Amino acid sequence: MRALARLSQRPIVADFPQYGFALEHAGRIVGVVLTLYARFPGPEGDEIRCNISSWTVDEGYRPQAMKLIWAILRRRDVTFTNISPAPATLKANKALGFQLFSKGQFAFLPALSSGRGSCRVLEVRPDLAELAMLSDGERYIVLEHAALGCISLVCICDGVASPLVLMPRRILHGLMPCAQIVYCRSLADLSRCAGAVGRFVLRRGILLCLVDAKEPIPGLFGRYFANRGIKYFKGPKPPAPGDLTFTELVVFGP
């Protein structure tokens, strides 16, 4: 119910469904999949992504489960993501043509990372003058995610501004506060400003950060965990590691 309430508050994208699809039999819902569509403005035109979430079908109707996904995947101009695949669905993901865009997670202590140059970190607000240093698409991302409860930052290192979005969450059975990287321009940008960001989030009680990655990230003080938090995509433009914008993690909450 919380997920549906959150989706009701999100803008509808073109003619795509606002909530998703249901599998119905004899007047009863026996399966559901939620679809989180988002439009990303870019220099080459708008890009549409869809995060497929909460795909589930009652046991007696599992042979019909693919019907829910086929209804979504008809569009070839959309990039689809699955950021929390259940182990039982991994074979189905591969059969449907999904590919890995992240095959592990890097846990790091940003305050101990070796940042380069002179950096300052500013929290995003609508009247922040430094927002003008970002592209239109980046301004949209940081402002929208700030409204969704994320920590949206502008990091200025040696005169160059970079956007960064973090989602506060807890791990180890809710005992340890940390932050998930939701958006960065590149992992190299993240590494460059990590030290300053670490000191900023430390004031909020956050010592540890997590970011999707395919391998250890130079310049970040931490450890790479292979096969943790694997994520799939299908479509014309794979998301970069560290890009979880407008996905279930943000919209539904950790």
Side-chain angles (χ1 to χ4, degrees), residues 24-47:
E24 180 264 345
H25 177 74
R28 184 169 68 92
I29 299 296
V30 297
V32 66
V33 61
L34 303 182
T35 52
L36 288 75
Y37 284 93
R39 185 190 303 274
F40 294 79
E44 300 176 0
D46 289 355
E47 172 194 349

Side-chain angles (χ1 to χ4, degrees), residues 170-189:
R170 287 182 173 268
I171 58 174
L172 301 179
H173 306 288
L175 298 176
M176 178 180 286
C178 70
Q180 176 77 46
I181 303 300
V182 170
Y183 181 76
C184 57
R185 187 181 289 159
S186 69
L187 296 180
D189 270 3

Side-chain angles (χ1 to χ4, degrees), residues 15-212:
D15 57 347
F16 295 106
Q18 185 172 7
Y19 299 98
F21 290 88
L23 190 64
E24 180 264 345
H25 177 74
R28 184 169 68 92
I29 299 296
V30 297
V32 66
V33 61
L34 303 182
T35 52
L36 288 75
Y37 284 93
R39 185 190 303 274
F40 294 79
E44 300 176 0
D46 289 355
E47 172 194 349
I48 305 295
R49 284 192 208 162
C50 173
N51 177 208
I52 298 173
S53 173
S54 312
W55 179 25
T56 182
V57 178
D58 290 352
E59 187 172 355
Y61 300 89
R62 296 277 166 83
Q64 309 299 320
M66 287 295 190
K67 287 186 176 181
L68 286 169
I69 300 299
W70 288 334
I72 301 168
L73 299 182
R74 293 192 184 109
R75 294 289 296 257
R76 301 296 179 88
D77 56 337
V78 175
T79 296
F80 300 96
T81 61
N82 184 350
I83 69 165
S84 57
T89 67
L90 295 183
K91 289 184 178 179
N93 273 279
K94 294 177 182 177
L96 290 165
F98 279 81
Q99 305 174 57
L100 283 172
F101 76 87
S102 178
K103 58 182 181 181
Q105 286 201 323
F106 193 74
F108 66 101
L109 302 172
L112 299 182
S113 299
S114 57
R116 298 186 298 274
S118 173
C119 292
R120 58 192 178 107
V121 177
L122 305 169
E123 188 160 12
V124 166
R125 61 180 189 275
D127 61 346
L128 182 68
E130 285 79 1
L131 284 174
M133 301 172 71
L134 305 179
S135 68
D136 291 343
E138 290 171 340
R139 283 196 297 274
Y140 173 73
I141 287 172
V142 295
L143 287 168
E144 285 290 304
H145 282 77
L148 288 166
C150 292
I151 302 172
S152 289
L153 306 173
V154 176
C155 308
I156 303 177
C157 297
D158 297 327
V160 178
S162 300
L164 182 64
V165 179
L166 306 93
M167 179 74 180
R169 53 180 295 199
R170 287 182 173 268
I171 58 174
L172 301 179
H173 306 288
L175 298 176
M176 178 180 286
C178 70
Q180 176 77 46
I181 303 300
V182 170
Y183 181 76
C184 57
R185 187 181 289 159
S186 69
L187 296 180
D189 270 3
L190 175 64
S191 178
R192 182 168 55 250
C193 62
V197 170
R199 293 185 289 275
F200 181 92
V201 298
L202 195 58
R203 297 196 292 270
R204 300 191 175 198
I206 297 173
L207 179 64
L208 180 72
C209 288
L210 304 173
V211 63
D212 295 323

